Amino acid sequence: MTIVVNAKGASDAGPSMGPARGVIFIHSCPRAVSPHVEWALAHVFGSQVSIDWADQPVAPGCVRAELIWGGPQGTGAKIASALHAFRQLRHEVTEDPSPGREGERFSSTPALGLFRATIGVHGDVMVPEDRLKAAVVQAALTGESLADEIGRLIGAPWDEELEAFRAAHEGSPVRLLHQAPRPALTASPA
């Protein structure tokens, strides 16, 4: 079940009434760590946070949760920072675009660490020009493909790792594909 949390001082009418809003997806959290996550979020929001945890079928012994939040601009980064202290979590935090500010998305996995992206008003990951130029240089220096470099810039490795956790919910069949071969692209004869 999704719960709504407002930062202290934000309207009790719901997250749409605050200056910023977003969603917290905790995809997997060891059950023993879950109370600590609630305490960390309570520190960010300035009030008690009680999460309705559900079992995570992809990771036995772990739980998952979804929260909608409201608060001042920049709260998404504070939430991501608080959750990043728990390196064993898989989570995503979003902050919707608000007046004068683009949105943000944070993704974290134990293997990959924390990823941050700027999100435009239509939900697209926005990559600054200087980071694209650096990706071109990095690809040339390392011999990796430019597509792989750009994939990292838009968070593709995090999306790939988190996809099974995003799709898992009670009653859903969970299919894990590990290193599935990809078909080769060939040109068709003219």
Side-chain angles (χ1 to χ4, degrees):
M1 183 169 129
T2 303
I3 66 166
V4 176
V5 180
N6 286 307
K8 194 170 188 171
S11 170
D12 289 332
S16 62
M17 303 305 288
R21 63 182 176 172
V23 181
I24 304 167
F25 300 98
I26 301 173
H27 296 297
S28 72
C29 172
R31 188 174 303 281
V33 176
S34 61
H36 302 281
V37 169
E38 290 181 12
W39 298 330
L41 291 174
H43 180 73
V44 172
F45 290 109
S47 62
Q48 183 177 349
V49 175
S50 295
I51 298 176
D52 184 17
W53 296 99
D55 288 336
Q56 175 49 273
V58 175
C62 288
V63 291
R64 60 185 175 79
E66 182 177 318
L67 297 85
I68 298 172
W69 64 266
Q73 290 180 341
T75 300
K78 291 178 182 177
I79 295 166
S81 180
L83 293 178
H84 187 58
F86 303 97
R87 305 292 174 148
Q88 63 272 57
L89 294 186
R90 286 179 181 83
H91 65 85
E92 294 178 272
V93 177
T94 66
E95 182 169 327
D96 296 340
S98 54
R101 186 179 169 113
E102 292 176 307
E104 293 181 294
R105 178 175 65 109
F106 300 88
S107 300
S108 184
T109 74
L112 297 171
L114 185 64
F115 170 78
R116 181 210 168 272
T118 300
I119 304 297
V121 296
H122 299 293
D124 297 322
V125 173
M126 310 297 286
V127 180
E129 177 182 347
D130 61 331
R131 293 189 68 198
L132 285 171
K133 288 177 181 177
V136 170
V137 170
Q138 184 70 13
L141 290 174
T142 64
E144 285 197 52
S145 75
L146 182 57
D148 288 343
E149 292 293 332
I150 291 172
R152 278 191 284 282
L153 288 176
I154 63 172
W158 286 263
D159 287 338
E160 289 172 13
E161 185 172 331
L162 291 173
E163 192 56 38
F165 294 90
R166 292 174 181 150
H169 56 83
E170 286 185 47
S172 72
V174 177
R175 293 185 183 105
L176 298 175
L177 301 176
H178 295 286
Q179 301 296 326
R182 294 183 180 172
L185 297 177
T186 57
S188 59

